[in-house]
Amino acid sequence: MGDNDLIGLRNLKNINLAYNPIKFITNRAFQNNIHLTYVDLSHTSLTTIPSIVAMLPALQTLRIEAYDIECTCELASLKNWKVSAIQILGQCYPANERIDQFIKTYINAGRC
């Protein structure tokens, strides 16, 4: 997903990109979408959580279910993300640990 794909949609609150062959989302893709509360990236070709989602001030739900989200210290761009205020639906691969739990236990706890 490119930098300007959603630039004119400033009042966008929900976006469902599930089941699309998305492999990468730039760090500026949602920069003008500060009202996004729901983002569904399930069943895409993503292998990591795009760091831009941590910068969405109104985000309440992130669905990133299925496929292979690798929970490694490379997710450090999500450090200090207030995951307790956001419902994150998805599991880490291959550990089969909830993504939000991984972020709390490893990233935010300074273990990475």
Side-chain angles (χ1 to χ4, degrees):
M1 178 173 253
D3 287 347
N4 298 319
D5 290 348
L6 304 172
I7 200 164
L9 304 173
R10 296 182 191 275
N11 294 318
L12 188 65
K13 292 185 179 181
N14 300 304
I15 189 163
N16 184 342
L17 299 171
Y19 296 96
N20 282 288
I22 299 167
K23 294 181 180 180
F24 179 76
I25 296 177
T26 72
N27 287 337
R28 295 172 32 144
F30 301 130
Q31 70 181 359
N32 290 329
N33 308 110
I34 60 170
H35 301 292
L36 273 173
T37 60
Y38 177 89
V39 176
D40 191 343
L41 300 172
S42 298
H43 302 278
T44 62
S45 297
L46 294 170
T47 58
T48 190
I49 300 172
S51 60
I52 187 63
V53 297
M55 297 174 201
L56 294 172
L59 187 65
Q60 296 173 3
T61 303
L62 172 64
R63 293 187 72 126
I64 193 152
E65 298 168 296
Y67 288 97
D68 300 332
I69 298 300
E70 297 176 29
C71 291
T72 66
C73 289
E74 290 185 24
L75 291 178
S77 63
L78 302 175
K79 186 171 177 70
N80 300 320
W81 190 24
K82 296 180 182 178
V83 293
S84 58
I86 301 164
Q87 181 180 25
I88 302 173
L89 305 170
Q91 301 279 72
C92 295
Y93 171 84
N96 201 28
E97 178 179 13
R98 287 187 356 241
I99 293 170
D100 61 339
Q101 191 61 41
F102 176 83
I103 293 169
K104 290 176 194 173
T105 304
Y106 291 93
I107 304 296
N108 288 349
R111 294 175 65 186
C112 286

